[in-house]
Amino acid sequence: MAFAQHTLLRSLSAETAGFLQDEITPVTLSPGDVLFEPGQSLDRIWFVQSGLVSLVTLLQDGGEIDGIMVGRHGALGLPASLGSGRVISRAVVQVEGGAWSMSGEACRQAMRRDEEFNGRIMRYYEAVFAAAVQLTACNASHSLEQRLCRWLLTCQDQLGSDLLPIRQEVVSRMLGANRTSIASISRVLQDDGAILVRHGRIKILSTERLSRRACECYAVTRERFRSIG
């Protein structure tokens, strides 16, 4: 397995990597798949290789609101590795891809065996928590255009691609906005040469122009994840 290509797994010692070879199961992530629900007790962790999974907060009216986006190099279900096992968000696959899955116990054993791996997991967990706090402030303080630009840039980073196979109705649901407002802002961004929306896909033409329109939350959160090493 190409552990060296994943930020959280590339530091594994040869001994720990050998141990995990028998503990990890490759899984396919298909759009619409729900990996877990709020309140669910987990004993499973997913290390995402490709694709995009959103961690969303459910509202009483059945709606969803923007949460952490997890793509390449990220992980899902980390409470299982820390012993609590209970999650507070819904994890929904937005873009198809693949992941490695292991039990929480296997991850805990690997963390005990390998100090560097333990450190990376803890730094990632802290970055996810900090990003969630940042997003709370973002949703309360910044305009829909700023939030949309931040969201698009984050998806680009997590997918490692300028082409986002995501429909505008998904974007509107994630940002808690109506589709008309998203379409209107998208036209402004197209006129500015920042994006191109065609046939259920969004192509980012200029990261620089999107960054100028995004709030500071994008840069702050990106740096937190980059500091993992």
Side-chain angles (χ1 to χ4, degrees):
M1 295 183 182
F3 292 148
Q5 298 177 13
H6 196 287
T7 298
L8 298 177
L9 299 173
R10 66 187 179 200
S11 66
L12 292 173
S13 66
E15 179 185 357
T16 307
F19 163 72
L20 289 180
Q21 289 284 353
D22 296 327
E23 301 292 334
I24 282 184
T25 302
V27 296
T28 299
L29 303 175
S30 300
D33 283 355
V34 176
L35 302 182
F36 50 78
E37 294 279 9
Q40 183 176 340
S41 183
L42 281 183
D43 187 39
R44 207 76 198 160
I45 298 169
W46 294 262
F47 291 89
V48 181
Q49 297 170 270
S50 61
L52 192 65
V53 182
S54 57
L55 294 176
V56 300
T57 299
L58 302 184
L59 305 178
Q60 288 187 342
D61 62 4
E64 301 173 343
I65 196 66
D66 179 31
I68 304 297
M69 305 298 292
V70 180
R72 57 181 187 147
H73 309 316
L76 298 153
L78 282 181
S81 72
L82 301 178
S84 66
R86 196 166 296 278
V87 292
I88 60 174
S89 301
R90 170 184 286 171
V92 185
V93 178
Q94 302 294 351
V95 178
E96 66 180 350
W100 290 310
S101 181
M102 72 174 77
S103 69
E105 177 56 31
C107 189
R108 288 191 293 274
Q109 287 191 44
M111 290 168 70
R112 288 193 292 266
R113 287 167 174 258
D114 195 318
E115 184 178 344
E116 176 60 24
F117 177 58
N118 178 75
R120 282 179 184 267
I121 290 293
M122 296 307 298
R123 289 195 297 274
Y124 181 78
Y125 191 82
E126 291 168 358
V128 169
F129 180 78
V133 173
Q134 189 79 35
L135 284 179
T136 299
C138 182
N139 290 332
S141 304
H142 296 137
S143 70
L144 181 57
E145 178 180 301
Q146 290 175 311
R147 291 165 51 214
L148 173 59
C149 292
R150 182 260 303 161
W151 193 85
L152 292 173
L153 288 165
T154 300
C155 288
Q156 180 189 38
D157 288 344
Q158 294 296 321
L159 281 171
S161 173
D162 296 334
L163 185 62
L164 314 180
I166 303 173
R167 300 186 304 276
Q168 284 195 340
E169 53 262 36
V170 173
V171 179
S172 63
R173 188 169 69 247
M174 289 293 95
L175 294 180
N178 62 63
R179 190 174 174 183
T180 301
S181 297
I182 295 296
S184 177
I185 296 172
S186 295
R187 284 193 292 272
V188 172
L189 297 178
Q190 284 196 120
D191 291 343
D192 188 41
I195 66 172
L196 179 66
V197 181
R198 288 290 187 276
H199 308 299
R201 297 187 175 195
I202 303 171
K203 183 175 178 58
I204 296 179
L205 303 177
S206 174
T207 299
E208 180 182 354
R209 292 183 181 183
L210 270 186
S211 297
R212 286 203 301 263
R213 291 178 174 271
C215 55
E216 68 270 18
C217 298
Y218 167 67
V220 170
T221 302
R222 180 186 57 183
E223 287 308 310
R224 285 193 178 117
F225 282 102
R226 285 184 173 179
S227 68
I228 295 169

